[in-house]
Amino acid sequence: MEAIKNLRVNMEQKILQSNNVIIVPHTGIDFDAIGSAIGLSLIAKRMKKESSIVVDDPFHQIDPGVQLVIEAAKTDFSIITRDKYLQTQNEEDLFVLTDVNKSYLVSLKEELTNPDKIIIIDHHNTDDATIKANETLIDPNVSSASEIVSKLLCMFKIRPTAEIANYLLAGIYLDTNKLTKNTSSETMRTVARLLEYGASMNRVTDLFTEDFVSDRRVQELVSRAKIATYSIATVCADPDIEYTKEELAKVADYLLKYKVDAAFAIGNIGNDTISISARSKEKVDVGAVMQ
């Protein structure tokens, strides 16, 4: 609790001293990244500072539910590409990274050179590629970036609209595999608060409605999984077929339904890039494995 209180104070100071607030979620954007980014943009707006969310993924590669969130949010928030940001960048801009801390997972790289102009909010383990920042809240014990941002909104005394509460709840829902893992009493209190703000579990589950073709691809990969030593499920996709990071994450999540302790889904996501999605129950620290 002390860490988030300090973040709230320091974030307010840095936002007020900045030109614009540039919110940077990870590439391969998902519900947690976009939900927490919108929450952060709401904080900047309340402090009367311009903000933009940088989303540089090809639109057709974004999960359909996340596409809906992005299109709806564009009415009230600035969501721009990396190239669009570079046209207006300013050395006094403040970068707030959410749901990410590694340089190879963000669309802005050479722009993130001044640690004093960077804030990182994340729940993933750090490694040698973690971006240097003087202000961070990186806690792998928290369910999601959306949980952290929801708490920040409360500390800033900002009541989000029901729709923004839905986006934040969707972020938590995703990263807890529908509230079945990585949850704590704090997580459930945050969920309850979002429901008080008007979030609807029915609305959130609607966002997760599966695209038929994508779901068939996911299920085909699941059917190829092997469960080996130490109850670890692994599946390696055909290298000639491109998947989205979201699809690989769904495969790993689905495999946890079986009697396994951890699951790894490996596949080609394009641009000569292989992605690994790792999920686990309590016995295996997949963050340490991936690191």
Side-chain angles (χ1 to χ4, degrees):
M1 185 60 75
E2 194 64 31
I4 198 166
K5 287 181 179 177
N6 291 336
L7 175 64
R8 180 245 182 272
V9 172
N10 295 335
M11 176 181 283
E12 181 173 17
Q13 292 176 346
K14 286 182 178 294
I15 289 176
L16 291 174
Q17 293 168 0
S18 70
N19 176 54
N20 289 322
V21 180
I22 308 303
I23 301 162
V24 186
H26 58 73
T27 54
I29 194 163
D30 60 16
F31 284 109
D32 190 29
I34 189 61
S36 58
I38 291 170
L40 289 166
S41 194
L42 187 61
I43 291 172
K45 180 180 285 191
R46 179 60 61 89
M47 296 175 67
K48 303 188 184 310
K49 284 289 182 175
E50 294 292 327
S51 68
S52 294
I53 302 169
V54 179
V55 177
D56 211 45
D57 299 297
F59 199 68
H60 70 278
Q61 292 182 6
I62 299 175
D63 177 87
V66 177
Q67 290 180 9
L68 290 174
V69 172
I70 290 172
E71 286 302 303
K74 282 181 178 178
T75 304
D76 299 306
F77 299 95
S78 170
I79 300 178
I80 61 175
T81 63
R82 176 181 183 275
D83 287 344
K84 181 74 173 176
Y85 167 66
L86 294 179
Q87 294 171 16
T88 59
Q89 65 177 315
N90 184 289
E91 64 180 13
E92 295 305 317
D93 288 341
L94 174 68
F95 298 98
V96 184
L97 278 61
T98 183
D99 200 29
V100 65
N101 66 69
K102 300 170 183 63
S103 59
Y104 56 82
L105 289 176
V106 292
S107 55
L108 298 177
K109 291 182 174 59
E110 54 270 19
E111 293 76 24
L112 303 177
T113 56
N114 184 350
D116 196 47
K117 297 290 185 182
I118 301 171
I119 297 174
I120 299 177
I121 296 171
D122 196 17
H123 65 116
H124 298 98
N125 286 337
T126 58
D127 64 18
D128 291 342
T130 294
I131 295 164
K132 290 181 173 55
N134 291 342
E135 188 62 43
T136 67
L137 200 166
I138 303 174
D139 188 352
N141 295 314
V142 177
S143 72
S144 56
S146 291
E147 180 179 340
I148 298 172
V149 171
S150 295
K151 292 176 181 176
L152 276 173
L153 287 169
C154 186
M155 289 188 170
F156 275 101
K157 295 183 168 39
I158 298 173
R159 184 185 179 96
T161 64
E163 203 56 25
I164 293 175
N166 279 328
Y167 303 155
L168 291 162
L169 183 54
I172 296 172
Y173 194 71
L174 173 73
D175 277 14
T176 58
N177 195 17
K178 303 177 182 178
L179 304 179
T180 62
K181 67 181 184 67
N182 297 340
T183 58
S184 65
S185 58
E186 279 298 309
T187 305
M188 302 314 289
R189 275 192 281 271
T190 301
V191 169
R193 186 179 297 116
L194 292 172
L195 292 172
E196 289 174 4
Y197 292 156
S200 162
M201 197 60 78
N202 288 335
R203 169 64 176 142
V204 168
T205 54
D206 283 346
L207 289 172
F208 285 79
T209 300
E210 303 287 352
D211 172 77
F212 180 80
V213 174
S214 177
D215 187 56
R216 291 303 90 205
R217 285 155 54 86
V218 167
Q219 294 304 323
E220 190 275 332
L221 268 187
V222 168
S223 71
R224 293 169 54 177
K226 296 181 178 3
I227 300 175
T229 311
Y230 305 117
S231 298
I232 305 296
T234 60
V235 59
C236 190
D238 185 331
D240 295 327
I241 300 176
E242 285 188 17
Y243 291 85
T244 65
K245 292 177 71 175
E246 185 75 11
E247 287 172 334
L248 295 177
K250 288 177 180 177
V251 171
D253 277 333
Y254 195 93
L255 289 170
L256 289 185
K257 294 182 179 182
Y258 303 120
K259 195 173 182 179
V260 301
D261 293 323
F264 296 85
I266 307 164
N268 172 21
I269 60 170
N271 298 320
D272 297 319
T273 303
I274 301 299
S275 178
I276 305 177
S277 185
R279 296 288 189 270
S280 73
K281 298 175 184 174
E282 293 182 356
K283 289 184 179 180
V284 180
D285 183 352
V286 291
V289 173
M290 294 303 296
Q291 186 174 339

